[in-house]
Amino acid sequence: MKQRTIANSVEIVGIGLHKGVPVKMKLEPLDSDMGIVFYRSDKAVSIPLKIENVVDTKMATVIGKDDVVISTIEHLLSAVYAYGIDNLRVVIDNDEVPVLDGSSAGYCMLIEEAGIKELEKSKKAIKIRQDIKIETDDGKRVSLKPSNHIIYDFSINFEHPVIGEQNFRFDYSIEEYKENISKARTFGFLHEVQYLRSIGLAQGGSLENAIVLDQSKVLNPEGLRYSDEFVRHKILDAIGDMALLGYTLVGEYDAHAGSHHLNHLLTKKVYEDKENYEIIDLEKADAEAHVFELAYSRIQA
């Protein structure tokens, strides 16, 4: 199995969620072993997608270098990860990735428009070897554990009549991702949106790019895309955050009330102990590598 990039450059213009200004973004192919690299064209600064370049995780996953940042990268990365793309240059002329409709479906369409190209060098995956967990005193947790599959299991519990308790278990395949995860939109509560705007954030947020709820109902006229759209979007975010590991993940992600911050702590903890993981070359023909190849073959486009 070979590494992947996109076949052709493709670009889009959209609105940033927090600043509300137009952003031009271009996706460009890269060669083997170059990874995912963000480039701020207005600042002439490249920011490789690495755990050590994460600078903020309060409202979104934000990477930065030399006082230059790029925010809200998780939806784009979720789609990039879903299509198995290892090498990609993301050129952007502002500090925030376009929010599109609040999901990753638009990025799936963009990647399919660009096409996928296999490269010469073999693809690698990160195989989780033992349980790794981050847990808070109030019961929030995120974890990774060994599996020969790529699984995301997420639960949430909101004291809101529309949300309540929700759980979704996602056994990875590209078609399942496109149909059941990519369309799930980000969400927020009206009182939170009003507060964020008062401090200069969420300026681009609207009913066109987020689910907004008041105390009792969804305010979007079209309603929900799924009855459990909220927890599905949490999985979408988690997939994007796990892309910071730098390799296709083979293992099971499990979370209750997880967040960008906890996901960041989890990816850091993976690399704190070499017993936690193994980097597998998917071109090798031994039996173990074949298991990983089968696991990854389920997300071929």
PDB file of all heavy atoms in Angstrom, residues 6-23:
ATOM      1  N   ILE A   6      -3.186  14.337  -3.307  1.00  0.00           N
ATOM      2  CA  ILE A   6      -4.249  14.625  -4.274  1.00  0.00           C
ATOM      3  C   ILE A   6      -3.643  14.689  -5.679  1.00  0.00           C
ATOM      4  O   ILE A   6      -2.452  14.970  -5.842  1.00  0.00           O
ATOM      5  CB  ILE A   6      -5.002  15.919  -3.931  1.00  0.00           C
ATOM      6  CG1 ILE A   6      -4.056  17.120  -3.803  1.00  0.00           C
ATOM      7  CG2 ILE A   6      -5.814  15.725  -2.659  1.00  0.00           C
ATOM      8  CD1 ILE A   6      -4.765  18.446  -3.599  1.00  0.00           C
ATOM      9  N   ALA A   7      -4.452  14.433  -6.682  1.00  0.00           N
ATOM     10  CA  ALA A   7      -3.959  14.384  -8.061  1.00  0.00           C
ATOM     11  C   ALA A   7      -3.784  15.775  -8.657  1.00  0.00           C
ATOM     12  O   ALA A   7      -2.897  15.996  -9.490  1.00  0.00           O
ATOM     13  CB  ALA A   7      -4.907  13.560  -8.921  1.00  0.00           C
ATOM     14  N   ASN A   8      -4.626  16.726  -8.238  1.00  0.00           N
ATOM     15  CA  ASN A   8      -4.595  18.075  -8.799  1.00  0.00           C
ATOM     16  C   ASN A   8      -4.845  19.101  -7.709  1.00  0.00           C
ATOM     17  O   ASN A   8      -5.524  18.814  -6.715  1.00  0.00           O
ATOM     18  CB  ASN A   8      -5.673  18.239  -9.879  1.00  0.00           C
ATOM     19  CG  ASN A   8      -5.523  17.250 -11.006  1.00  0.00           C
ATOM     20  OD1 ASN A   8      -4.646  17.380 -11.837  1.00  0.00           O
ATOM     21  ND2 ASN A   8      -6.385  16.232 -11.014  1.00  0.00           N
ATOM     22  N   SER A   9      -4.330  20.289  -7.898  1.00  0.00           N
ATOM     23  CA  SER A   9      -4.615  21.387  -6.973  1.00  0.00           C
ATOM     24  C   SER A   9      -6.077  21.801  -7.115  1.00  0.00           C
ATOM     25  O   SER A   9      -6.668  21.716  -8.199  1.00  0.00           O
ATOM     26  CB  SER A   9      -3.712  22.581  -7.257  1.00  0.00           C
ATOM     27  OG  SER A   9      -2.357  22.264  -7.007  1.00  0.00           O
ATOM     28  N   VAL A  10      -6.649  22.239  -6.015  1.00  0.00           N
ATOM     29  CA  VAL A  10      -8.046  22.674  -6.020  1.00  0.00           C
ATOM     30  C   VAL A  10      -8.196  23.764  -4.965  1.00  0.00           C
ATOM     31  O   VAL A  10      -7.499  23.751  -3.942  1.00  0.00           O
ATOM     32  CB  VAL A  10      -8.986  21.480  -5.738  1.00  0.00           C
ATOM     33  CG1 VAL A  10      -8.743  20.897  -4.355  1.00  0.00           C
ATOM     34  CG2 VAL A  10     -10.433  21.850  -5.939  1.00  0.00           C
ATOM     35  N   GLU A  11      -9.062  24.750  -5.216  1.00  0.00           N
ATOM     36  CA  GLU A  11      -9.198  25.839  -4.245  1.00  0.00           C
ATOM     37  C   GLU A  11     -10.653  26.186  -3.999  1.00  0.00           C
ATOM     38  O   GLU A  11     -11.552  25.830  -4.771  1.00  0.00           O
ATOM     39  CB  GLU A  11      -8.408  27.064  -4.689  1.00  0.00           C
ATOM     40  CG  GLU A  11      -8.844  27.721  -5.964  1.00  0.00           C
ATOM     41  CD  GLU A  11      -7.959  28.924  -6.285  1.00  0.00           C
ATOM     42  OE1 GLU A  11      -6.747  28.737  -6.530  1.00  0.00           O
ATOM     43  OE2 GLU A  11      -8.490  30.050  -6.276  1.00  0.00           O
ATOM     44  N   ILE A  12     -10.859  26.874  -2.894  1.00  0.00           N
ATOM     45  CA  ILE A  12     -12.194  27.247  -2.456  1.00  0.00           C
ATOM     46  C   ILE A  12     -12.110  28.561  -1.691  1.00  0.00           C
ATOM     47  O   ILE A  12     -11.071  28.886  -1.094  1.00  0.00           O
ATOM     48  CB  ILE A  12     -12.798  26.120  -1.575  1.00  0.00           C
ATOM     49  CG1 ILE A  12     -14.300  26.324  -1.382  1.00  0.00           C
ATOM     50  CG2 ILE A  12     -12.073  26.021  -0.235  1.00  0.00           C
ATOM     51  CD1 ILE A  12     -14.962  25.118  -0.724  1.00  0.00           C
ATOM     52  N   VAL A  13     -13.186  29.322  -1.692  1.00  0.00           N
ATOM     53  CA  VAL A  13     -13.296  30.531  -0.882  1.00  0.00           C
ATOM     54  C   VAL A  13     -14.486  30.358   0.052  1.00  0.00           C
ATOM     55  O   VAL A  13     -15.574  29.954  -0.382  1.00  0.00           O
ATOM     56  CB  VAL A  13     -13.471  31.794  -1.744  1.00  0.00           C
ATOM     57  CG1 VAL A  13     -13.684  33.022  -0.864  1.00  0.00           C
ATOM     58  CG2 VAL A  13     -12.266  32.001  -2.645  1.00  0.00           C
ATOM     59  N   GLY A  14     -14.281  30.627   1.336  1.00  0.00           N
ATOM     60  CA  GLY A  14     -15.365  30.503   2.308  1.00  0.00           C
ATOM     61  C   GLY A  14     -15.188  31.493   3.432  1.00  0.00           C
ATOM     62  O   GLY A  14     -14.279  32.326   3.415  1.00  0.00           O
ATOM     63  N   ILE A  15     -16.057  31.390   4.403  1.00  0.00           N
ATOM     64  CA  ILE A  15     -16.045  32.292   5.552  1.00  0.00           C
ATOM     65  C   ILE A  15     -15.444  31.584   6.761  1.00  0.00           C
ATOM     66  O   ILE A  15     -15.728  30.411   7.006  1.00  0.00           O
ATOM     67  CB  ILE A  15     -17.476  32.760   5.884  1.00  0.00           C
ATOM     68  CG1 ILE A  15     -18.077  33.539   4.716  1.00  0.00           C
ATOM     69  CG2 ILE A  15     -17.495  33.614   7.158  1.00  0.00           C
ATOM     70  CD1 ILE A  15     -17.372  34.839   4.415  1.00  0.00           C
ATOM     71  N   GLY A  16     -14.606  32.297   7.515  1.00  0.00           N
ATOM     72  CA  GLY A  16     -14.105  31.764   8.770  1.00  0.00           C
ATOM     73  C   GLY A  16     -15.158  31.871   9.853  1.00  0.00           C
ATOM     74  O   GLY A  16     -15.874  32.874   9.943  1.00  0.00           O
ATOM     75  N   LEU A  17     -15.280  30.836  10.674  1.00  0.00           N
ATOM     76  CA  LEU A  17     -16.326  30.795  11.698  1.00  0.00           C
ATOM     77  C   LEU A  17     -16.212  31.934  12.697  1.00  0.00           C
ATOM     78  O   LEU A  17     -17.199  32.570  13.061  1.00  0.00           O
ATOM     79  CB  LEU A  17     -16.280  29.452  12.436  1.00  0.00           C
ATOM     80  CG  LEU A  17     -17.279  29.276  13.593  1.00  0.00           C
ATOM     81  CD1 LEU A  17     -18.704  29.337  13.088  1.00  0.00           C
ATOM     82  CD2 LEU A  17     -17.024  27.947  14.308  1.00  0.00           C
ATOM     83  N   HIS A  18     -15.010  32.221  13.162  1.00  0.00           N
ATOM     84  CA  HIS A  18     -14.868  33.176  14.255  1.00  0.00           C
ATOM     85  C   HIS A  18     -14.676  34.619  13.800  1.00  0.00           C
ATOM     86  O   HIS A  18     -15.273  35.540  14.357  1.00  0.00           O
ATOM     87  CB  HIS A  18     -13.734  32.748  15.187  1.00  0.00           C
ATOM     88  CG  HIS A  18     -14.100  31.560  16.027  1.00  0.00           C
ATOM     89  ND1 HIS A  18     -15.154  31.568  16.893  1.00  0.00           N
ATOM     90  CD2 HIS A  18     -13.565  30.318  16.106  1.00  0.00           C
ATOM     91  CE1 HIS A  18     -15.260  30.397  17.483  1.00  0.00           C
ATOM     92  NE2 HIS A  18     -14.298  29.611  17.011  1.00  0.00           N
ATOM     93  N   LYS A  19     -13.893  34.855  12.770  1.00  0.00           N
ATOM     94  CA  LYS A  19     -13.692  36.232  12.312  1.00  0.00           C
ATOM     95  C   LYS A  19     -14.743  36.676  11.306  1.00  0.00           C
ATOM     96  O   LYS A  19     -14.988  37.872  11.142  1.00  0.00           O
ATOM     97  CB  LYS A  19     -12.293  36.395  11.703  1.00  0.00           C
ATOM     98  CG  LYS A  19     -11.191  36.451  12.748  1.00  0.00           C
ATOM     99  CD  LYS A  19      -9.916  37.023  12.156  1.00  0.00           C
ATOM    100  CE  LYS A  19      -8.888  37.306  13.240  1.00  0.00           C
ATOM    101  NZ  LYS A  19      -7.660  37.909  12.704  1.00  0.00           N
ATOM    102  N   GLY A  20     -15.347  35.712  10.618  1.00  0.00           N
ATOM    103  CA  GLY A  20     -16.400  36.048   9.675  1.00  0.00           C
ATOM    104  C   GLY A  20     -15.924  36.738   8.417  1.00  0.00           C
ATOM    105  O   GLY A  20     -16.705  37.417   7.744  1.00  0.00           O
ATOM    106  N   VAL A  21     -14.635  36.582   8.080  1.00  0.00           N
ATOM    107  CA  VAL A  21     -14.093  37.216   6.882  1.00  0.00           C
ATOM    108  C   VAL A  21     -13.842  36.156   5.811  1.00  0.00           C
ATOM    109  O   VAL A  21     -13.630  34.986   6.123  1.00  0.00           O
ATOM    110  CB  VAL A  21     -12.784  37.984   7.186  1.00  0.00           C
ATOM    111  CG1 VAL A  21     -13.046  39.087   8.208  1.00  0.00           C
ATOM    112  CG2 VAL A  21     -11.716  37.041   7.715  1.00  0.00           C
ATOM    113  N   PRO A  22     -13.873  36.549   4.521  1.00  0.00           N
ATOM    114  CA  PRO A  22     -13.606  35.588   3.449  1.00  0.00           C
ATOM    115  C   PRO A  22     -12.183  35.032   3.542  1.00  0.00           C
ATOM    116  O   PRO A  22     -11.236  35.751   3.851  1.00  0.00           O
ATOM    117  CB  PRO A  22     -13.780  36.409   2.172  1.00  0.00           C
ATOM    118  CG  PRO A  22     -14.614  37.570   2.560  1.00  0.00           C
ATOM    119  CD  PRO A  22     -14.234  37.877   3.984  1.00  0.00           C
ATOM    120  N   VAL A  23     -12.064  33.734   3.284  1.00  0.00           N
ATOM    121  CA  VAL A  23     -10.772  33.045   3.321  1.00  0.00           C
ATOM    122  C   VAL A  23     -10.614  32.259   2.023  1.00  0.00           C
ATOM    123  O   VAL A  23     -11.516  31.524   1.624  1.00  0.00           O
ATOM    124  CB  VAL A  23     -10.686  32.073   4.520  1.00  0.00           C
ATOM    125  CG1 VAL A  23      -9.321  31.404   4.564  1.00  0.00           C
ATOM    126  CG2 VAL A  23     -10.977  32.790   5.826  1.00  0.00           C
TER     127      VAL A  23
END
